[in-house]
Amino acid sequence: MRRFTAGGEIPRRWYNALPDLPKPLDLPLHPVEKRPVKPENLEPLFAKALIEQEFSEARWIEIPEDILEVYALWRPTPLYRAYGLEKFLNTPAKIYYKYEGASPAGSHKPNTAVAQAYYNAKEGIKRLTTETGAGQWGAALAFATQFFGIKCTVYMVRVSYNQKPYRRTMMELWGAEVFPSPSSRTKSGKSILEKDPDNPGSLGIAISEAVEDAATNPDTHYSLGSVLNHVLLHQTVIGLEAKAQLEELGEYPDVVIGCCGGGSNFGGIALPFYADKAVGKKVRLVAVEPKACPTLTKGIFAYDFGDTAGLTPLLKMFTLGHNFVPPSIHAGGLRYHGDAPIVSLLVKEGIVEPVAYSQTEVFEAALTFARTEGFIPAPETAHAVKAAIDEALRAKEEKTPKTILFCFSGHGLLDLSAYDAFLKGELKDYELSREEILKSLSELEKLAIRR
Ligand SMILES: *Cc1c(COP(=O)(O)O)cnc(C)c1O
C-alpha cells in the first residue's frame, strides 16, 4: 500500500488569483493621507519585483530558476492519504493532507521567504528585517536569506524571546541576528522602553521596529510572512502541487481546508482550487480560525491598519480592530487581528466558508491525528485537522463518500510545551464576548473610512 504521493513536479509558475476575483480588491490606503498608495510609495520597504506582483493582473507568474533550486530541497512535498485517521473515524470519506512540515524550518513559510530573499538580493538589498512572534516566520526568513548572501534581522516579541529559546536558536544557527522587542535599536522601541522598561512586547510593536529599521537604512528592506497578495501568490505552490498529485490518483476534492492566521497557507492550498470554482466547478473552501481570535467569523470587513501603531498602509480586510489583543492561545500564528485582503473578499462574497474552534477541541483533534497518523501537528495546523475530522464525521452521518484535502501547515515539534500543558489538563478555552469584540471594533469607527 502506498501512503503518500511524492510524485509530480515542482510547479514552474505561481497562480495569481487577482485577475479571477469576483471583483477587484479595494486598493491599500496611505496611513496618514488615506488616499490609495502608489506602488512607488512601497519602494523604501519592498523589492520592486514584489510590489509588481502585489498588484499584478497576470494569472501566471514564472518562478525563477534560483528559487526552484532552493524549493527542490523539500519540494514537492508529500501528499498523504490519512488511512489511519479514516479507519479510526470509520468514515466513508477519503482524507488527504499536504505535508508542509517537510521544509527545513518545519512549516509552509519558507515558500515565500525564499522568494522574498531572492528578489531583494537581486535588487541589491543587503539585509532584510522582520518581526516574529513565536518564531516560525523569523526562522523561515533566516533560513531563506542565507541562500542569497543577505543578512537577516529579526525583532522577536520579548515574551516569546524569553519563553521560546529554541526558535531563536534556529534563527541564530541560520545566521540571523535576533533582538527582543521592544529594543533600544529603534526610536519606537526606545520610546516604549523609556516609559516601561519591562514591556513584554507585542507583534504590533515588533512590526513598528522592523519597518523603522528598514525605512531608515537604504540597503535594507522589510519582509512580511503573510497577509499580502504576493505572499499568498508564492504559497500557491502548495495547492498547485496538491492538485497535480490528486489528479495522478484520479481524485478531485469536494472540500479544501486550511487554518487561517493571516491567510497564507489557506490561500496557498485553496486559491488554485478557487480558480476552478470561479469557472463553475463544485468545490468547497473552508478557512479555520480560533474562537479566541475570530477575525473571519466575528470581525467586520473594513479598512484597518496592519499594525498597532498605525504605521502600515490601511488594508480592506476582515478585522477585529488593530488594537485587538487576542488571548494568549498556543496557536500563536493564528493570533492576528486582520486577514489577507484576498481571503477576506472571498469570505465576504460567500465563496470561502469560515469556521472557528476553541483551543481544547483543537488539541483533542491533534492528539487523535498524532495517534492515528503519527505526525504531530503545530497548534495552528491542528485547527485544519479538527475541521477535516468534522467533515469526515459529517460524511459518515450522511452516509456519503467525500474527498477532503487539508493543508498540514507545519509540525509541532517545537510546540511540545503546549502539548505538555494540554496533556496535564491545563489548557483553557477563550471565547470572546460580544462586548469585548464591539469594544475593539468601536476603535475602528474612529478611523471613519467609508469607501
Ligand atoms: C504561521 C503559521 C500559520 C498561520 O499563518 P498563515 O499565514 O495564516 O498561514 C499556520 N500554520 C503554521 C504551522 C504556521 O507557522
Side-chain angles (χ1 to χ4, degrees):
M1 179 173 70
R2 189 96 179 264
R3 278 183 180 264
F4 70 91
T5 310
E9 286 177 23
I10 308 173
R12 300 255 146 187
R13 306 178 299 178
W14 291 300
Y15 166 64
N16 176 22
L18 290 180
D20 294 334
L21 294 179
K23 49 172 86 158
L25 289 184
D26 290 302
L27 290 171
L29 301 181
H30 188 279
V32 181
E33 297 160 24
K34 314 275 195 293
R35 52 152 178 90
V37 291
K38 299 191 188 83
E40 59 264 31
N41 298 146
L42 300 170
E43 283 176 15
L45 294 182
F46 299 105
K48 289 195 182 77
L50 295 169
I51 298 170
E52 206 178 299
Q53 291 176 357
E54 189 64 21
F55 298 100
S56 173
E57 284 294 318
R59 185 169 287 122
W60 296 100
I61 294 177
E62 208 76 21
I63 308 178
E65 203 59 39
D66 291 352
I67 296 177
L68 289 172
E69 242 169 59
V70 184
Y71 278 178
L73 279 173
W74 73 96
R75 308 211 69 87
T77 59
L79 176 80
Y80 284 88
R81 169 94 184 259
Y83 287 109
L85 180 62
E86 287 172 19
K87 194 169 163 208
F88 174 81
L89 298 173
N90 190 21
T91 172
K94 295 177 194 166
I95 307 172
Y96 290 94
Y97 56 101
K98 182 72 172 150
Y99 188 66
E100 291 299 306
S103 81
S107 78
H108 64 290
K109 288 190 170 80
N111 295 331
T112 184
V114 170
Q116 294 190 41
Y118 165 81
Y119 286 115
N120 277 290
K122 198 167 163 232
E123 292 179 25
I125 287 300
K126 300 278 182 270
R127 184 168 69 102
L128 285 176
T129 67
T130 198
E131 71 287 336
T132 199
Q136 287 116 319
W137 170 242
L141 196 66
F143 158 77
T145 45
Q146 54 169 6
F147 288 100
F148 303 102
I150 58 178
K151 291 195 189 130
C152 178
T153 303
V154 183
Y155 292 89
M156 186 172 189
V157 177
R158 185 178 296 269
V159 273
S160 305
Y161 183 92
N162 292 329
Q163 283 173 2
K164 308 198 168 180
Y166 294 137
R167 281 229 175 76
R168 165 161 58 87
T169 309
M170 279 172 83
M171 291 184 258
E172 288 173 349
L173 193 148
W174 280 321
E177 47 175 10
V178 187
F179 299 104
S181 165
S183 78
S184 53
R185 288 171 51 87
T186 62
K187 265 195 212 153
S188 40
K190 267 189 211 147
S191 78
I192 291 164
L193 287 178
E194 268 161 28
K195 281 176 238 146
D196 177 12
D198 299 320
N199 189 297
S202 71
L203 217 45
I205 295 170
I207 294 177
S208 305
E209 287 204 277
V211 167
E212 184 187 321
D213 185 344
T216 51
N217 289 289
D219 66 351
T220 303
H221 272 165
Y222 167 71
S223 184
L224 195 63
S226 188
V227 179
L228 299 179
N229 302 340
H230 68 264
V231 179
L232 273 62
L233 170 80
H234 303 150
Q235 293 294 355
T236 59
V237 288
I238 305 172
L240 292 168
E241 267 179 30
K243 212 163 136 179
Q245 288 168 321
L246 283 171
E247 220 168 84
E248 234 174 78
L249 303 170
E251 297 272 22
Y252 194 90
D254 296 294
V255 53
V256 179
I257 299 168
C259 67
C260 200
S264 76
N265 88 87
F266 170 73
I269 194 149
L271 290 176
F273 293 95
Y274 165 71
D276 298 342
K277 193 176 168 81
V279 292
K281 184 104 184 164
K282 256 184 74 185
V283 52
R284 290 173 50 220
L285 310 172
V286 178
V288 194
E289 61 183 14
K291 276 191 175 163
C293 189
T295 317
L296 297 172
T297 49
K298 300 250 171 95
I300 57 168
F301 187 58
Y303 270 110
D304 196 7
F305 294 112
D307 66 329
T308 318
L311 301 178
T312 70
L314 292 146
L315 298 176
K316 185 77 169 283
M317 59 184 175
F318 272 96
T319 175
L320 293 164
H322 57 277
N323 290 314
F324 178 73
V325 183
S328 56
I329 52 164
H330 287 282
L334 305 184
R335 292 174 72 242
Y336 185 61
H337 69 272
D339 233 302
I342 291 177
V343 173
S344 294
L345 179 72
L346 293 177
V347 169
K348 180 73 183 166
E349 295 294 311
I351 294 163
V352 165
E353 304 165 39
V355 290
Y357 291 110
S358 50
Q359 178 160 252
T360 49
E361 58 185 346
V362 160
F363 271 84
E364 267 155 32
L367 205 70
T368 300
F369 191 85
R371 289 177 179 178
T372 53
E373 289 295 311
F375 294 109
I376 299 169
E380 293 86 356
T381 309
H383 288 72
V385 172
K386 168 66 180 160
I389 290 178
D390 276 9
E391 286 291 341
L393 291 175
R394 216 166 298 136
K396 179 175 165 179
E397 235 167 68
E398 293 165 0
K399 298 194 170 62
T400 41
K402 130 163 90 167
T403 303
I404 299 165
L405 168 68
F406 76 88
C407 183
F408 192 102
S409 55
H411 68 64
L413 296 180
L414 286 162
D415 300 288
L416 293 183
S417 64
Y419 278 98
D420 192 45
F422 173 66
L423 292 172
K424 285 181 179 147
E426 292 168 359
L427 283 201
K428 272 192 296 194
D429 282 340
Y430 303 88
E431 192 156 350
L432 294 161
S433 68
R434 210 177 141 63
E435 289 69 39
E436 282 170 285
I437 291 170
L438 286 178
K439 182 163 164 277
S440 169
L441 288 176
S442 70
E443 294 280 317
L444 256 188
E445 299 283 305
K446 292 183 207 151
L447 270 173
I449 294 166
R450 303 257 173 271
R451 267 175 184 263

